[in-house]
Amino acid sequence: MALPTSLGGFTVVPVSYSSSYTHYIYVRAHTGSKKAAKNALPDGRTLFMVNIPPDATERELSQLFKHCGTVERVIFDLDTVEPHHEDSDSDEEMEDTPDLTAEPSADDQPRKRRKVVKDDAPKLISLPSTSLRTLRPTGRSAHLVFLDSSSLQRALSTATKARPWPSIPEEPSGLAHYISLYDSLRPPLDAVREHADSSILVYEHELQKTKQKSKYRKGEAIVDDDGFTLVTRGGAYGKTLGGGVGVASKQFQRSGQTSKRIRNTKKEAKEKKDFYAFQKAEKQRSDLMKLKKRWDEDRVKVEALKASRRFKPY
């Protein structure tokens, strides 16, 4: 049974993978519908393809339609299209070209060479990689942009026989692809060790740079936008060394000067009074002796006052 050469406005392109298997790709001329992709997919020389093989690459599709003309680029999935500017190179050249007619300004004077600080940052040693083809879901679409419009017309012509699918030894497919994927996921232990060691060095270097750039330094009091003092790491029990919030003492309120505090002094242990029975007895005895001594002193004073007040007529 012969297959139709066109189906729903698409031209049927048979592709033979082997003598026993034939794949069918449906193509038609692309018509611009999105403004974002208008520059990336120009009308008149863009071929829209449907039901491409899931393991197809840009190189294989370019080789498949090479007999039609020069292929400029292949774009998979329209949602990843980026605008293509043909005059971008010329615009960059115009920007880089100096204006010889302009008068030299003060900013154009030769400047002193700055010292270039060498960055001794450790480099990350990556794991060995293998270039493998990307497997896409079945039935995805792609756009193929030719260099001229005549190539597009030749690609839309009806094919009389199946075209052979190009084989590229550098890009394994089928079972060879999965074997290469299996080997790439199991690198040698030496390579894994070097990658892990370099990753740790890079992490420690970035962490050190972050600490140097951080404004929360040890011993500095930092006040946020709301007026609160942030407690930074440094002092005893997490207290801020460089400042903090406290209550002004009476000496500071009178003179405006802070009192000198002697740090690292041990507080004397406070002993409880009248805790033991002998302490209470000794206190009573000492109080009684002091009272008797004061009574004797007062008696001597009274006798002296009496002697000074006696009446002596002669």
Side-chain angles (χ1 to χ4, degrees):
M1 181 179 178
L3 294 174
T5 57
S6 62
L7 183 64
F10 287 85
T11 302
V12 180
V13 179
V15 178
S16 61
Y17 274 92
S18 62
S19 59
S20 61
Y21 177 72
T22 303
H23 183 82
Y24 296 93
I25 300 177
Y26 306 95
V27 300
R28 67 171 174 82
H30 169 74
T31 55
S33 58
K34 293 186 177 181
K35 295 181 180 180
K38 186 176 181 180
N39 295 330
L41 305 175
D43 296 339
R45 53 190 183 94
T46 303
L47 183 68
F48 177 60
M49 299 177 292
V50 180
N51 195 34
I52 59 175
D55 60 346
T57 62
E58 297 181 9
R59 187 176 178 184
E60 289 175 343
L61 292 177
S62 300
Q63 292 289 336
L64 181 63
F65 291 93
K66 185 179 180 181
H67 67 282
C68 300
T70 305
V71 178
E72 184 177 341
R73 62 184 179 277
V74 179
I75 302 173
F76 291 95
D77 302 329
L78 186 59
D79 53 353
T80 59
V81 173
E82 296 181 358
H84 177 72
H85 303 282
E86 296 180 355
D87 300 335
S88 58
D89 297 338
S90 60
D91 295 340
E92 292 179 358
E93 292 179 359
M94 291 296 293
E95 292 179 358
D96 296 337
T97 304
D99 189 2
L100 300 178
T101 60
E103 296 181 358
S105 59
D107 297 337
D108 297 336
Q109 298 296 330
R111 299 179 181 179
K112 296 181 179 179
R113 294 184 178 179
R114 297 181 179 179
K115 295 182 179 179
V116 179
V117 180
K118 294 183 179 180
D119 189 8
D120 297 335
K123 295 182 180 180
L124 179 64
I125 301 176
S126 58
L127 295 172
S129 59
T130 305
S131 59
L132 299 174
R133 61 179 65 219
T134 303
L135 298 181
R136 298 176 177 84
T138 306
R140 297 306 291 265
S141 60
H143 291 77
L144 190 142
V145 182
F146 290 100
L147 195 60
D148 52 8
S149 58
S150 60
S151 301
L152 176 63
Q153 298 301 325
R154 286 190 291 270
L156 294 174
S157 61
T158 304
T160 56
K161 60 179 181 179
R163 303 174 186 176
W165 184 259
S167 60
I168 302 175
E170 294 82 4
E171 298 176 355
S173 61
L175 182 60
H177 166 79
Y178 290 100
I179 294 176
S180 300
L181 179 62
Y182 179 87
D183 295 338
S184 63
L185 295 177
R186 290 159 178 81
L189 294 179
D190 295 340
V192 175
R193 186 182 296 106
E194 292 180 356
H195 175 72
D197 295 341
S198 61
S199 300
I200 294 175
L201 294 177
V202 171
Y203 173 77
E204 292 178 349
H205 179 75
E206 295 295 334
L207 185 63
Q208 187 66 23
K209 288 175 60 178
T210 305
K211 289 182 179 180
Q212 293 177 357
K213 294 180 180 179
S214 177
K215 63 181 180 180
Y216 302 102
R217 296 184 178 179
K218 182 178 179 180
E220 294 183 2
I222 302 169
V223 182
D224 59 5
D225 298 336
D226 298 331
F228 291 94
T229 301
L230 304 180
V231 178
T232 59
R233 185 177 181 181
Y237 305 103
K239 297 180 181 178
T240 304
L241 291 178
V245 179
V247 180
S249 61
K250 294 183 179 179
Q251 180 180 356
F252 179 79
Q253 294 177 0
R254 290 194 300 268
S255 61
Q257 297 180 356
T258 58
S259 60
K260 297 182 179 179
R261 297 179 180 179
I262 302 175
R263 296 183 178 181
N264 300 328
T265 55
K266 296 182 180 179
K267 295 182 180 179
E268 296 181 358
K270 294 182 180 180
E271 184 179 358
K272 294 183 179 180
K273 297 180 179 179
D274 302 338
F275 183 77
Y276 298 100
F278 75 92
Q279 292 178 340
K280 187 175 181 180
E282 288 181 357
K283 182 180 180 181
Q284 292 178 352
R285 189 181 298 107
S286 62
D287 292 343
L288 183 61
M289 294 297 293
K290 290 180 181 178
L291 182 61
K292 184 177 180 181
K293 183 178 180 181
R294 290 178 182 177
W295 185 83
D296 293 338
E297 293 177 353
D298 293 341
R299 183 172 58 81
V300 172
K301 291 180 180 179
V302 170
E303 292 295 335
L305 289 175
K306 288 181 179 180
S308 62
R309 291 179 181 179
R310 289 180 181 179
F311 178 70
K312 295 179 179 182
Y314 304 103

